[in-house]
Amino acid sequence: FLRKVGRVGGKKDLVNAVGSDEGPAGKASGPSLMTKAPAAFKSCVDSGTIDDMSENFPFTSCGTTWRGFTDQVMGGVSYGRLEREAVVEGRTANVLHGKVSLYNNGGFVQMATDLSLDPFVGSVDASAYDGIELDVLCQGKDDTGSFNVHLRNPACARQNSSYRSSFEIESGTGWKTVRLPWKSFKGFGPGPESTPFEVTELRRVGIVAIGRKIEDLNLALAGLRFYSD
């Protein structure tokens, strides 16, 4: 699944990465490592596309940056690696692989990106859409089961705060397109648990393996976008 042949754009080792559930609150990605000007990127709410893997890793097609996080800052021992694979069952994809351990109250590994490239705004208004859609595949030996999508907005005051929705996927069954309507997202942690979910100021999205032991995590993402019914 993770082959040296066909690997593009490099990789990010998450062994010592920030490990709180959502990572740092997140600032919009700066232009210092970009191969084109920020103005050349189209906002994800204008195009509907957060990432179609058309840009060099770690950049999304809307100009923000993929990052990886584990539970290690909380004392957990989960670990992983995020990289871009040129060919994963016929598609270019981000691949998150490693191990999720529940030891010492841990239990997650995730890939995440901010949604706005504008540091002065820091969020996007996705109210014109009905939800979020992703193309996913898993091929680990024991990663069949539930994964999460986590969204953050201004109500998420703490690093462990987010709005969450889950999807099921079976390992070895090929690519699957998952649609998660806004109404499926539930608040977790301080802020979201007492605040109705609003999509007018979305700041960040994460795809997360969380809450269950996974010895061989291999989760691939080939597309991430908003959708309208």
Side-chain angles (χ1 to χ4, degrees), residues 87-183:
V87 182
V88 180
E89 292 205 7
R91 302 186 67 175
T92 300
N94 280 358
V95 181
L96 183 65
H97 70 125
K99 176 181 179 179
V100 180
S101 171
L102 303 181
Y103 177 77
N104 206 25
N105 296 317
F108 63 85
V109 176
Q110 76 161 314
M111 65 176 96
T113 182
D114 292 334
L115 293 172
S116 174
L117 190 59
D118 187 342
F120 298 102
V121 178
S123 64
V124 298
D125 181 354
S127 59
Y129 300 94
D130 296 308
I132 200 163
E133 183 177 83
L134 57 162
D135 302 323
V136 288
L137 172 150
C138 63
Q139 290 188 336
K141 295 177 182 178
D142 63 346
D143 56 4
T144 292
S146 178
F147 295 90
N148 280 11
V149 172
H150 293 186
L151 292 170
R152 288 175 61 83
N153 65 16
C156 303
R158 302 276 185 89
Q159 290 186 1
N160 66 337
S161 300
S162 60
Y163 292 89
R164 305 179 179 186
S165 184
S166 298
F167 62 91
E168 299 284 333
I169 186 170
E170 184 176 350
S171 182
T173 58
W175 287 103
K176 178 179 180 180
T177 297
V178 175
R179 278 192 167 187
L180 300 173
W182 299 137
K183 64 182 179 181

